[in-house]
Amino acid sequence: MASSQTGAGSASNRRVLAASLVGTAVEFYDFYIYATAASLVFPHLFFPKSSDSAQLLQSYATFAVAFFARPVGAAFFGHFGDRVGRKSTLVASLMMMGASTLLIAFLPTYAMVGWVAPALLCLLRFGQGFGLGGEWGGAALLAVENAPPGWRARFGMFPQLGAPVGFIAANGLFLILGAAMPADDFLTWGWRLPFLASAILVGLGLWVRLRIGETPAFQKVLEEAEPSHVPMAEVVRRHGGALLGGTFAVVACFAIFYLSTAFALGYGTTTLGYSRETFLAVQLGAILFLAVGILAAGWWSDIANPRRVLMVGCVGTVAVGAVMGAMMGAGSLVLIWLWLSLALLMMGFVYGPLGAFLPSLFPPRVRYTGASIAFNVGGIIGGGLAPMAAQLLADRGGLAPVGLYLAAAALLSFVGLIALKPRYAE
């Protein structure tokens, strides 16, 4: 480990890393409690009675709403992140995201108010996505723009580690609630508790973020020139190639995450017939491999470079997609756990280095906007429609076409990475 003044050792660096990790942990907690509820609860509570598959598809459609809101939020918060500063923008995005998640806990159901229920659900889901649009890019910049030389990828992996932390908190809480209360109580009111609990995590995230300062890179931008008047326009006009390639580079990580979590949970508890608690426990065991993959990819990226590690991860994701049908459909929980573990391990390699890679494609004056837009538009392609598309494919052809869908997403990211070379390391 480096000395107290380098690496992650200094007190200021520890605060920065904690702020970047806690914020994205809240992000993934908020996002995944919705994904879990969309697979298990919302189909029955917020939509008219029909077949299980039809209700699940309608629920996944509301899940997709946030992905389309995220680029809008990325443009909005990116504008202020590049003009006003990283810290204050991150605080605002966290508050927006947290308020939307908390309000979901108080929504009436379809049986109470009819079509108003799914309409309100979509509205709050949009608010969730809008706030999330400014979250990841700012957290990544907070980490990498404070990183000492030679530590960018390891600092950049801390926002990514928020994913398994948030997933474990969300999945673990649903698992505890499902085991501790009767199914009717869980369906009636128990599912609301994880959304209420998000207020605690948001409060923690705000407390940590209000104790940090502005990043050195943004301070240097203010010293050297006036901030960009319209960062979005500058990104599109001067860095369009990096924006397009960066967007494609992100697709694989979103696809593999939501196919191995939200889709797998819905498919496992309906088509495969496993209980909610059993499948949540299997996923909880598999998510540890995501953390392992992120840590390994972060260290390797500083030794080699993030682009190379991302490309290796894409190749591994193609292989994971190829064996999805055989392993997930084998009728064995051990094989299902093994496939989920392999998938999430590979996600670590296509996700962990992004915190260092995407910011390096854009200069500091428009970096918040560029990295946020690329990440969130890639999220639409890779994640927004993934559970719904996978459910449609599985209904018609089983799991093999879903595996091909995942492999195609990885190939798209591989193509984007081939065309890209980082240009801005400061």
Side-chain angles (χ1 to χ4, degrees):
M1 177 60 69
S3 72
S4 63
Q5 299 303 314
T6 60
S10 71
S12 61
N13 281 345
R14 287 196 297 269
R15 285 196 296 270
V16 164
L17 296 178
S20 63
L21 186 148
V22 168
T24 50
V26 175
E27 168 191 347
F28 270 85
Y29 173 85
D30 284 3
F31 224 59
Y32 199 69
I33 58 174
Y34 191 99
T36 304
S39 299
L40 299 178
V41 178
F42 291 166
H44 310 291
L45 294 181
F46 287 93
F47 302 98
K49 289 185 178 180
S50 57
S51 69
D52 288 344
S53 181
Q55 286 182 304
L56 197 57
L57 284 171
Q58 291 177 86
S59 184
Y60 284 155
T62 69
F63 175 80
V65 167
F67 285 92
F68 291 93
R70 286 176 74 146
V72 181
F76 178 84
F77 288 109
H79 177 88
F80 291 101
D82 284 326
R83 286 191 55 79
V84 178
R86 317 313 197 201
K87 174 185 172 178
S88 56
T89 304
L90 273 170
V91 169
S93 68
L94 186 61
M95 290 179 66
M96 177 71 182
M97 177 178 65
S100 298
T101 303
L102 178 62
L103 288 173
I104 291 174
F106 300 98
L107 285 181
T109 64
Y110 187 88
M112 297 175 182
V113 294
W115 66 268
V116 175
L120 289 174
L121 184 63
C122 286
L123 178 64
L124 292 179
R125 181 63 174 162
F126 186 92
Q128 226 187 6
F130 187 85
L132 283 168
E135 176 59 37
W136 181 88
L141 266 57
L142 185 66
V144 299
E145 289 185 347
N146 280 289
W151 283 75
R152 284 176 63 85
R154 277 170 285 182
F155 269 52
M157 78 184 179
F158 271 81
Q160 322 300 65
L161 284 171
V165 172
F167 181 95
I168 289 170
N171 219 357
L173 186 51
F174 268 102
L175 184 60
I176 291 169
L177 291 173
M181 62 175 54
D184 289 345
D185 287 348
F186 179 80
L187 196 62
T188 302
W189 58 271
W191 67 270
R192 299 178 186 271
L193 297 179
F195 291 91
L196 289 170
S198 70
I200 300 172
L201 295 177
V202 170
L204 175 62
L206 289 173
W207 177 75
V208 172
R209 285 185 173 177
L210 289 170
R211 298 176 66 238
I212 60 173
E214 192 51 79
T215 70
F218 185 74
Q219 291 175 340
K220 186 178 178 182
V221 168
L222 295 180
E223 292 168 1
E224 293 180 346
E226 186 178 358
S228 175
H229 291 289
V230 187
M232 182 66 188
E234 185 173 330
V235 166
V236 173
R237 185 174 66 252
R238 297 185 181 178
H239 309 284
L243 184 64
L244 183 62
T247 297
F248 287 160
V250 169
V251 169
C253 82
F254 277 96
I256 199 167
F257 183 72
Y258 286 107
L259 290 182
S260 60
T261 55
F263 165 75
L265 180 59
Y267 190 85
T269 55
T270 54
T271 305
L272 298 182
Y274 293 105
S275 71
R276 178 178 64 234
E277 291 75 22
T278 297
F279 211 89
L280 285 172
V282 169
Q283 287 189 320
L284 202 57
I287 199 68
L288 297 175
F289 287 85
L290 172 56
V292 171
I294 291 171
L295 289 167
W299 282 89
W300 188 12
S301 294
D302 276 333
I303 295 171
N305 63 74
R307 177 171 172 261
R308 183 181 304 170
V309 177
L310 287 165
M311 293 174 75
V312 170
C314 288
V315 173
T317 302
V318 171
V320 167
V323 299
M324 181 181 186
M327 296 181 72
M328 276 283 290
S332 166
L333 268 180
V334 173
L335 285 178
I336 291 173
W337 171 81
L338 184 58
W339 185 84
L340 293 173
S341 299
L342 288 171
L344 290 165
L345 178 67
M346 282 302 104
M347 186 197 162
F349 285 86
V350 294
Y351 178 60
L354 287 177
F357 179 74
L358 284 183
S360 71
L361 301 177
F362 306 96
R365 61 184 276 114
V366 293
R367 182 174 285 163
Y368 201 129
T369 299
S372 296
I373 292 290
F375 186 76
N376 288 294
V377 174
I380 293 177
I381 302 170
L385 300 176
M388 189 162 52
Q391 187 65 43
L392 289 169
L393 289 170
D395 287 344
R396 287 160 176 76
L399 289 171
V402 181
L404 292 176
Y405 179 93
L406 177 57
L411 287 173
L412 184 60
S413 286
F414 190 85
V415 169
L417 289 163
I418 287 177
L420 286 173
K421 288 189 177 178
R423 297 175 57 196
Y424 305 96
E426 73 274 19

